[in-house]
Amino acid sequence: MDRVFLLSPARSSGTRASLLVHAAFEPGASLRSPQGAPLGDVFAWLSSLYFRGKLTYAARFAAQSARVPGALIITPGQGLCRPATRIRAHELQAIGQIEVGDNESFRGPLVRDAERVAQEFAGEVVLLGSIATPKYVEPLLGVFGERLVFPREFVGRGDMSRGGMLLRAAREGQELDYIPVEGAARKGPRAVKLAKLLPRHRDE
């Protein structure tokens, strides 16, 4: 089945974001340039392993549709953006000022773009992000309904464990098991440590 992946955003405010905006290294330097830096690279730096895992996994398993990108990032104030979308420093700062939650500045652009995806794409929509809170789950459920799914293996895992699991699944070409968000248990007992499920690799 064809799938589109929606990636939850990295935190775009606070000390780490401020450090990146003023950094001499990449992607900080590109953020201050006229062309900007790719959103996916920026969020991967801000969120480290977890977002890098989401980005890598989505690129590995996303549908190759001509009408809808296989991976889209939930971006506060800007709706759903391609990972290659370029942003500049002031745009990152604007993103960081928008609260992820029940407010029109966040929900409006998200619902607008989700509805466009729903009209153009008939397959499953996989949320790579937490479903324990309603901040983006509820608006997405309102658009996609039973088509909105998430990896079963996410339940009971923290961000770092999820990131490592996604990277390994992408490398090994083994897609995770998806279940509908609607009606799912959004919290559960702590999962078995990833090291016990998969062999450790020296590059991680």
Side-chain angles (χ1 to χ4, degrees), residues 148-170:
L148 185 67
V149 300
F150 75 105
R152 183 193 303 270
E153 294 87 342
F154 270 22
V155 177
R157 294 191 179 281
D159 289 353
M160 295 295 284
S161 178
R162 291 174 181 178
M165 178 173 59
L166 290 169
L167 285 173
R168 293 185 186 189

Side-chain angles (χ1 to χ4, degrees), residues 47-162:
S47 185
S48 191
L49 178 64
Y50 186 28
F51 197 88
R52 184 162 59 91
K54 291 186 286 188
L55 202 59
T56 303
Y57 183 88
R60 175 66 174 80
F61 296 113
Q64 302 301 313
S65 171
R67 304 186 73 175
V68 177
L72 290 163
I73 301 172
I74 299 171
T75 310
Q78 299 189 27
L80 297 173
C81 298
R82 297 171 184 260
T85 300
R86 290 189 169 267
I87 63 169
R88 290 174 288 177
H90 72 275
E91 293 169 314
L92 177 62
Q93 292 168 331
I95 290 170
Q97 292 174 0
I98 296 176
E99 180 182 357
V100 177
D102 188 13
N103 64 82
E104 184 58 27
S105 295
F106 175 74
R107 291 176 66 105
L110 175 59
V111 170
R112 175 200 66 204
D113 291 350
E115 289 176 343
R116 291 174 181 169
V117 172
Q119 291 171 2
E120 299 290 340
F121 182 75
E124 285 186 334
V125 178
V126 184
L127 176 60
L128 296 182
S130 173
I131 65 163
T133 60
K135 50 191 176 183
Y136 35 75
V137 170
E138 288 188 356
L140 291 175
L141 270 177
V143 175
F144 298 112
E146 63 183 11
R147 287 202 286 149
L148 185 67
V149 300
F150 75 105
R152 183 193 303 270
E153 294 87 342
F154 270 22
V155 177
R157 294 191 179 281
D159 289 353
M160 295 295 284
S161 178
R162 291 174 181 178

Side-chain angles (χ1 to χ4, degrees), residues 9-45:
R11 183 183 178 191
S12 304
S13 60
T15 303
R16 191 165 176 83
S18 179
L19 173 64
L20 182 61
V21 167
H22 297 93
F25 52 79
E26 293 296 344
S30 291
L31 273 173
R32 299 189 303 276
S33 70
Q35 68 269 23
L39 178 64
D41 292 351
V42 172
F43 276 11
W45 191 92

